[in-house]
Amino acid sequence: MFIVVNTITAPAPALQAMVENFRRAAPEMRQFSGFLGLEVWQGDGSLKAVSRWTSREAFQEYPRSEVFRRHHRGMGGEQALRAAHITFYEGEVMA
């Protein structure tokens, strides 16, 4: 499994608005064949958007898509990924 964690730090009202944006955007992500799920974690003055994919290759289809552009106000994948604080992980479900 490939995991993408986008950490966003902002004032509380802005973080709450972002949670709503993620909530609206999440259903469209289901169209990507390797998409496994999206979680939003809040705490410590930040928000973490955690998406799970079957592989790195499956994830890479998302930032290349028009769906991504809509979710990121017209910003392309390369530009948005450079501007964000993103960490990538390889993972495995154990239980």
Side-chain angles (χ1 to χ4, degrees):
M1 175 175 21
F2 187 68
I3 302 158
V4 181
V5 180
N6 184 358
T7 302
I8 303 163
T9 304
L15 291 178
Q16 193 54 46
M18 287 180 206
V19 169
E20 292 305 317
N21 289 339
F22 280 110
R23 189 172 284 127
R24 280 191 299 276
E28 280 192 294
M29 294 179 73
R30 291 187 188 122
Q31 70 183 281
F32 296 93
S33 63
F35 177 72
L36 299 173
L38 174 67
E39 301 168 13
V40 175
W41 304 346
Q42 293 183 73
D44 217 18
S46 72
L47 173 150
K48 293 187 185 305
V50 181
S51 61
R52 295 174 286 109
W53 304 83
T54 56
S55 66
R56 179 182 292 267
E57 294 75 24
F59 162 72
Q60 289 171 336
E61 293 300 313
Y62 174 56
R64 295 180 187 136
S65 72
E66 280 304 311
V67 171
F68 184 93
R69 284 188 179 281
R70 278 196 310 276
H71 291 174
H72 295 85
R73 295 189 170 107
M75 202 180 310
E78 293 292 322
Q79 182 183 13
L81 293 176
R82 279 193 310 272
H85 179 79
I86 297 181
T87 310
F88 301 105
Y89 299 92
E90 293 290 337
E92 181 179 345
V93 175
M94 300 284 183

